[in-house]
Amino acid sequence: MLGLDRKDFTLVLIIALVALLAPFLLNFWPTESGMAQFNAGYPALMQRFAIYGIFAIGFNILFGLTGYLSFGHAAFLGVGSYSAVWMFKLLSMNVLPGIFLAIIVSGLFALVIGYVSLRRSGIYFSILTLAFAQMSFNLAYSVLTPLTNGETGLQTTLNDPRILGASRTAEGGIPVPSLFGLEMNATSIWKIGGWEFQFNVGYYFAAALMVLTFYLSIRLFRSPFGLMLRAIKTNQTRMSYTGLSSRPYTLAAFVISGMYAGLAGALLACMDPLAGAERMQWTASGEVVIMSILGGAGTLLGPILGAGVIKYLENIFSKINEGVLHGWFDFLPEVVKEPLVWLFARFTGEGWSLTLGLIFMIVVIFLPGGLMEGARRIGDLFRKRGKPSDDDKEHHPKPAAHVAE
Amino acid sequence: MTRGNLTRRGLLRTGAVVTGAGLALPTIFTSRASAFTNDPTGDTVTLGFNVPQTGPYADEGADELRAFQLAVEHLNGEGDGGMLNTFSSKALQGNGIRGKKVAYVTGDTQTKSDAARASAQSMIQKDGAIMISGGSSSGVAVAVQGLCQEAGVIFMAGLTHSNDTTGKDKKANGFRHFFNAYMSGAALAPVLAKNYGTDRRAYHLTADYTWGWTQQESIQAATEALGWTTVNNVLTPLAETDFSAYITPVLQSGADVLVLNHYGGNMVNSLTQAVQFGLRDKVVNGKNFEIVVPLYSELMAKGAGDNIKGIFGSTNWSWTLQDEGTKAFVKSFGTKYGFPPSNAAQTCYAQTLLYADAVERAGSFAPCDVGAALEGFEFDGLGNGPTLYRAADHQCFKDVLVMKGKEDPANEFDNLELVEVTPRAQVEYAPDHPMFAGGELGACNNGA
């Protein structure tokens, strides 16, 4: 189906199904219960799952296939956001022109940066991309303020021209990004029992694009072009000795992955029309690297999984403050409660990144292939013992590839 | 490897299915029934406190959070009531807001617009917050204010000093109690002229971002109006920690005053280094060389230690004031936490009370009703003297304090002394003042 074999098609189908049912799947607990704070099924977070999923899928095309570790991918995310917001300001609040421009601009941007950076490989490539991204960040933060609105971030205002749309709505507010009138922040709520399910237009739009980009990435993984990229990862020197110039391939991969990032950036702006410079900071670039490695670099599903885990920790764990912890352990005597709260408080609330760090270390040390390797190992337990799962080689092009290699 | 190719027909078919599903889904279910976002239907009402818990302003954020918690206690009738007893409006009964117990959620802005908006979104969409407050950076405040406008909840700005918050980025759903850069300039300039004379040459070091620029613009305009000349304005990167390269040229420039338009860690570093370079011992143009820090905070003063002695700056409020409101607030804050509140804490506490009071007076939680109750509201007893919430730009107008680093601090919290209370009339400006022009409140938004 659609140029995929049955296995891959099932994978796309599962992703699509999960995306479709996410509002149910992510709302594990009833709204009024004490566990409700673990629910992730609210529009803003679901949108982030989908958008950062796209970002990670794109990053994986470069890092997972060619092994080139870009430490500056957030620059393309930021450029995409700025382009989209400028379209909202100048043209109309329809999301399509914004997304279109974002992909084009970030692609061009990636072409320039990639052309320079790809002259080197390994650590030098990483440092070059990092330098470019930091440069972009600093430009956006202060030098290019007329274009980016500096630290405050670029926002839509009532006085924007919006040639094809309205500067302001009939009620006198700023119009909301929409897809031909379908507003991105429109949400339908379905209350059943104690549960409350939110169905958000923006989320489904982002999710549809994520499924589409996932499909494209599978096609790319399975194509001769993808094979060539994998050859570059395996042994670039040998490739050049056979007389093959690898640079056009790596550059193409770099540009494609930059365009994915641009799309993700544009979607961020569509869901919430603001583009801030910190979106380009090195921490944001590092985040996507961690997403890919955590989930499993070079696998198809891994990066999406990694993006989900990180965004969940960032948005849910960071909300568990000491007050909430006190509520949890209230039944315990004071002597036990205080140390316990103190201990948990290190790992939740503002300490969420510590939890992330621990998970990351555990994964890198014990599951070099990321969470996908964990899933595979569990899968193996249920299959015949001793028989390695060799039916799915392409998910693990290099079974024990350590991230540091 | 691939089997078959991507066909046009196949692509069209999938595309149609996906778009169809996207279009059809939201219409299957009923939309929100209430008239405005997060209408509190139960017996509690949830407020969202969005402060920096990590990053450069984490200390300020922690102090803001303490003030919010105190305000919630007082609203629910716990504790000694604090400024509720001195507040000129008596609509609040200490039984929550409109009889509903006040609950709150907190979030971490990380001093990043994106993170702050994500956190505010989750408060609104997941926790059902009806009002968002907090922020320790103007960039974040402006970003969150925009989000609240769009979502249809009230934003009560915390610590944000840039002119833009109630200037070109003002929003109908956003309200600011804190003072701004223009007011700092207007209050500080006469004191500077009185102490340092009207014939001074100023050299500015300015943090290179929105707040720094508006601060520099304001203080330059205010001092030049009194006869000072501006020798130079040098922009410093926000992440800079070593200012020595910026300080060396100051003495060669012929300037006799250094204005540090820095905040937080920037200010602590630049001031400390300027003092270490011996700038304050120099005599230029026959006058003693002076340093000015337009925006002070207690936490920065603590960080800079002895270096702030004798240096002028402005604040929104100080715990050393002797009015009834201040005394009541400092007492309940001190009893609970063991040290006096900062001016960030006071503005957050006052904002929470003002919001609750506006809801009571409006008789409704609907943002437009609350906004209307706040617009043009005159009050007293919250520590700043008689105050007006101006309807035209949602900025509070009140007295501004000019402070000086204390020469002989009695304890670690007693590092600033009051020089002058600048009366409200002196810091007022027209809503369409050039430094604030270009924005528009727009219509208030009830959301949903």
Side-chain angles (χ1 to χ4, degrees):
Chain A
M1 282 284 273
L2 295 169
L4 300 173
D5 60 25
R6 233 185 77 217
K7 201 171 174 70
D8 287 338
F9 187 73
T10 324
L11 203 58
V12 176
L13 219 57
I14 290 173
I15 288 280
L17 213 62
V18 168
L20 195 66
L21 299 178
F24 299 104
L25 299 176
L26 293 172
N27 263 350
F28 332 100
W29 313 97
T31 320
E32 292 302 322
S33 76
M35 302 301 275
Q37 58 184 307
F38 287 108
N39 284 346
Y42 62 97
L45 185 55
M46 291 195 294
Q47 290 164 1
R48 279 190 174 73
F49 283 154
I51 293 169
Y52 281 92
I54 295 175
F55 189 25
I57 292 172
F59 182 76
N60 193 39
I61 291 177
L62 180 73
F63 178 49
L65 285 183
T66 67
Y68 274 80
L69 175 58
S70 160
F71 238 105
H73 245 55
F76 308 124
L77 191 77
V79 167
S81 287
Y82 282 121
S83 316
V85 175
W86 269 114
M87 275 312 220
F88 294 153
K89 286 171 88 71
L90 298 178
L91 203 63
S92 84
M93 290 307 267
N94 194 323
V95 294
L96 293 184
I99 290 177
F100 185 70
L101 182 77
I103 296 177
I104 301 294
V105 174
S106 53
L108 290 174
F109 200 58
L111 190 66
V112 176
I113 292 186
Y115 184 77
V116 180
S117 308
L118 284 165
R119 298 180 166 266
R120 293 282 170 272
S121 60
I123 189 82
Y124 303 101
F125 169 78
S126 303
I127 297 292
L128 274 174
T129 49
L130 176 64
F132 275 115
Q134 265 316 84
M135 241 151 69
S136 318
F137 165 69
N138 280 323
L139 285 176
Y141 203 87
S142 50
V143 184
L144 290 179
T145 295
L147 203 62
T148 60
N149 205 17
E151 181 231 13
T152 311
L154 193 63
Q155 297 195 44
T156 52
T157 71
L158 289 167
N159 304 322
D160 295 330
R162 276 189 273 283
I163 324 171
L164 296 182
S167 283
R168 60 183 69 198
T169 60
E171 294 86 42
I174 300 173
V176 177
S178 62
L179 181 71
F180 302 111
L182 206 61
E183 291 188 350
M184 285 295 138
N185 64 3
T187 304
S188 299
I189 294 179
W190 190 27
K191 283 186 181 161
I192 179 163
W195 276 268
E196 190 183 289
F197 302 111
Q198 304 192 31
F199 303 90
N200 173 268
V201 177
Y203 165 68
Y204 279 105
F205 181 64
L209 281 173
M210 186 190 78
V211 174
L212 182 70
T213 51
F214 181 68
Y215 167 73
L216 290 177
S217 103
I218 291 197
R219 289 296 302 257
L220 206 138
F221 266 61
R222 304 284 183 257
S223 69
F225 174 71
L227 195 66
M228 194 63 91
L229 295 181
R230 248 175 257 179
I232 292 170
K233 182 181 187 175
T234 318
N235 198 333
Q236 196 173 1
T237 327
R238 183 180 287 177
M239 278 192 67
S240 24
Y241 285 167
T242 54
L244 207 131
S245 168
S246 62
R247 188 145 349 121
Y249 291 97
T250 45
L251 187 59
F254 193 81
V255 171
I256 292 172
S257 118
M259 287 162 94
Y260 267 74
L263 170 65
L267 282 173
L268 280 176
C270 294
M271 302 311 146
D272 182 11
L274 168 121
E278 66 262 22
R279 214 166 263 177
M280 302 173 129
Q281 223 174 347
W282 66 270
T283 46
S285 299
E287 201 178 55
V288 73
V289 178
I290 295 179
M291 282 173 187
S292 291
I293 294 174
L294 188 65
T299 64
L300 283 165
L301 269 181
I304 306 181
L305 211 62
V309 169
I310 288 185
K311 286 292 146 191
Y312 185 83
L313 282 176
E314 181 182 327
N315 287 280
I316 304 295
F317 260 63
S318 69
K319 279 291 171 56
I320 303 172
N321 54 28
E322 285 197 33
V324 176
L325 290 173
H326 275 285
W328 286 359
F329 298 116
D330 233 5
F331 62 94
L332 292 169
E334 197 75 3
V335 208
V336 192
K337 189 180 111 181
E338 287 304 325
L340 213 56
V341 166
W342 182 88
L343 184 73
F344 272 78
R346 300 309 109 199
F347 294 94
T348 58
E350 60 197 64
W352 71 271
S353 35
L354 193 60
T355 314
L356 174 64
L358 278 178
I359 295 180
F360 187 65
M361 276 166 58
I362 291 170
V363 165
V364 169
I365 294 169
F366 297 105
L367 295 171
L371 293 174
M372 286 308 288
E373 186 178 329
R376 185 178 56 91
R377 285 194 193 170
I378 293 171
D380 281 351
L381 283 182
F382 287 99
R383 294 207 193 89
K384 270 181 203 155
R385 268 169 196 282
K387 178 188 169 256
S389 67
D390 53 356
D391 53 338
D392 192 15
K393 268 211 176 101
E394 273 157 328
H395 281 85
H396 310 280
K398 236 177 148 189
H402 194 278
V403 289
E405 277 172 22
Chain B
M1 291 305 292
T2 48
R3 257 204 301 155
N5 281 313
L6 177 61
T7 59
R8 188 186 60 88
R9 188 180 298 246
L11 191 68
L12 280 178
R13 202 184 311 135
T14 347
V17 169
V18 171
T19 336
L23 288 171
L25 244 165
T27 49
I28 298 173
F29 307 100
T30 51
S31 236
R32 285 175 200 267
S34 15
F36 59 92
T37 305
N38 292 338
D39 185 1
T41 47
D43 50 4
T44 59
V45 51
T46 307
L47 309 181
F49 301 137
N50 206 10
V51 301
Q53 297 177 15
T54 51
Y57 300 140
D59 288 346
E60 258 104 359
D63 218 39
E64 289 183 14
L65 210 50
R66 287 183 202 111
F68 281 131
Q69 283 161 350
L70 194 66
V72 168
E73 266 180 30
H74 292 168
L75 287 175
N76 285 334
E78 298 154 16
D80 61 6
M83 284 205 266
L84 275 188
N85 305 317
T86 58
F87 191 20
S88 61
S89 167
K90 297 293 171 204
L92 290 166
Q93 305 298 321
N95 61 345
I97 307 178
R98 300 199 69 214
K100 293 180 196 294
K101 192 169 187 296
V102 182
Y104 67 91
V105 286
T106 64
D108 183 5
T109 67
Q110 303 172 31
T111 320
K112 291 179 185 167
S113 313
D114 264 349
R117 276 171 83 115
S119 161
Q121 272 176 329
S122 106
M123 288 173 178
I124 296 167
Q125 295 177 354
K126 183 176 163 217
D127 306 316
I130 180 99
M131 177 274 260
I132 303 289
S133 184
S136 239
S137 147
S138 293
V140 166
V142 167
V144 176
Q145 181 163 279
L147 177 92
C148 291
Q149 175 70 39
E150 200 182 289
V153 299
I154 290 281
F155 177 65
M156 301 298 278
L159 185 81
T160 157
H161 186 250
S162 168
N163 290 343
D164 293 348
T165 314
T166 48
K168 77 175 174 55
D169 293 316
K170 57 178 171 267
K171 294 281 187 297
N173 283 28
F175 292 85
R176 170 160 71 176
H177 172 267
F178 207 66
F179 71 146
N180 58 39
Y182 174 88
M183 295 180 178
S184 280
L188 205 50
V191 176
L192 294 177
K194 200 166 76 190
N195 285 278
Y196 300 151
T198 52
D199 178 30
R200 281 281 189 171
R201 298 166 61 75
Y203 192 104
H204 291 257
L205 287 185
T206 304
D208 193 5
Y209 71 106
T210 328
W211 171 76
W213 305 334
T214 63
Q215 177 60 68
Q216 195 277 333
E217 187 189 9
S218 302
I219 192 100
Q220 177 173 347
T223 49
E224 282 183 353
L226 292 169
W228 288 27
T229 45
T230 305
V231 179
N232 200 357
N233 174 34
V234 175
L235 301 175
T236 61
L238 188 68
E240 191 63 75
T241 51
D242 180 10
F243 292 89
S244 42
Y246 296 98
I247 292 169
T248 328
V250 175
L251 282 175
Q252 279 104 49
S253 67
D256 45 34
V257 176
L258 173 64
V259 182
L260 295 173
N261 298 301
H262 287 155
Y263 191 72
N266 268 345
M267 176 264 170
V268 172
N269 288 322
S270 64
L271 178 62
T272 308
Q273 285 162 19
V275 172
Q276 280 167 357
F277 270 57
L279 249 52
R280 302 189 65 201
D281 311 324
K282 297 276 191 307
V283 175
V284 184
N285 308 333
K287 304 179 200 79
N288 278 327
F289 193 96
E290 303 291 350
I291 300 176
V292 177
V293 178
L295 176 62
Y296 255 147
S297 93
E298 293 82 350
L299 299 157
M300 277 156 48
K302 212 165 126 187
D306 284 348
N307 298 317
I308 62 153
K309 283 180 181 172
I311 288 178
F312 287 104
S314 65
T315 63
N316 184 54
W317 173 84
S318 162
W319 66 273
T320 54
L321 289 174
Q322 288 305 315
D323 59 287
E324 292 307 312
T326 301
K327 280 198 271 187
F329 178 53
V330 173
K331 181 165 164 277
S332 44
F333 193 96
T335 316
K336 190 166 158 76
Y337 301 113
F339 48 86
S342 65
N343 74 90
Q346 186 261 351
T347 200
C348 290
Y349 180 90
Q351 284 281 65
T352 314
L353 256 50
L354 284 167
Y355 171 79
D357 173 70
V359 174
E360 290 285 352
R361 285 185 295 112
S364 154
F365 282 103
C368 286
D369 298 339
V370 179
L374 280 170
E375 284 182 348
F377 180 47
E378 293 205 54
F379 58 93
D380 196 357
L382 292 184
N384 301 95
T387 309
L388 165 72
Y389 239 127
R390 185 156 78 181
D393 54 4
H394 295 182
Q395 168 71 48
C396 266
F397 285 85
K398 52 193 161 28
D399 300 344
V400 171
L401 310 182
V402 176
M403 308 292 283
K404 192 168 87 166
K406 210 167 184 174
E407 296 290 352
D408 50 344
N411 56 56
E412 58 169 321
F413 306 109
D414 180 34
N415 36 31
L416 295 174
E417 67 180 328
L418 186 63
V419 177
E420 185 189 276
V421 178
T422 309
R424 178 168 130 191
Q426 195 184 318
V427 297
E428 274 179 6
Y429 54 87
D432 57 353
H433 188 283
M435 287 185 201
F436 296 83
E440 220 182 319
L441 284 176
C444 78
N445 181 11
N446 270 338

